[in-house]
Amino acid sequence: MDRYEKIIYWSEDDNKFLVEVPELAGCMADGTTPEEALRNVELIVSEWLETAEELGREIPFPKGKLMYA
């Protein structure tokens, strides 16, 4: 399991839960339940990291818990 921050929220427009991974540009997934959305985003994160590595792009180090908001 990766250690990137994930933000989950309900989208009225999509009528689904969305999960964004802010540290990985454009990395997000959806699902009909929060659990499904989180499972889906795990696959997307894995594919994002694999593609970045194949393309020789920098992979951000997980920042972990926010110190302040």
Side-chain angles (χ1 to χ4, degrees):
M1 182 175 191
D2 68 79
R3 296 183 179 170
Y4 291 99
E5 176 186 26
K6 294 168 188 72
I7 300 171
I8 186 167
Y9 58 93
W10 176 255
S11 170
E12 289 292 335
D13 292 338
D14 299 305
N15 201 29
K16 291 188 178 201
F17 288 93
L18 301 180
V19 179
E20 293 184 22
V21 184
E23 294 169 272
L24 306 177
C27 188
M28 65 185 305
D30 65 15
T32 56
T33 66
E35 296 81 11
E36 180 184 31
L38 287 169
R39 280 193 308 270
N40 291 343
V41 85
E42 292 300 329
L43 174 62
I44 299 303
V45 166
S46 176
E47 291 175 351
W48 193 103
L49 295 172
E50 183 180 310
T51 300
E53 187 175 310
E54 288 174 0
L55 296 174
R57 294 189 177 156
E58 183 178 339
I59 296 175
F61 187 77
K63 295 178 184 175
K65 181 180 176 182
L66 290 174
M67 297 306 292
Y68 57 90

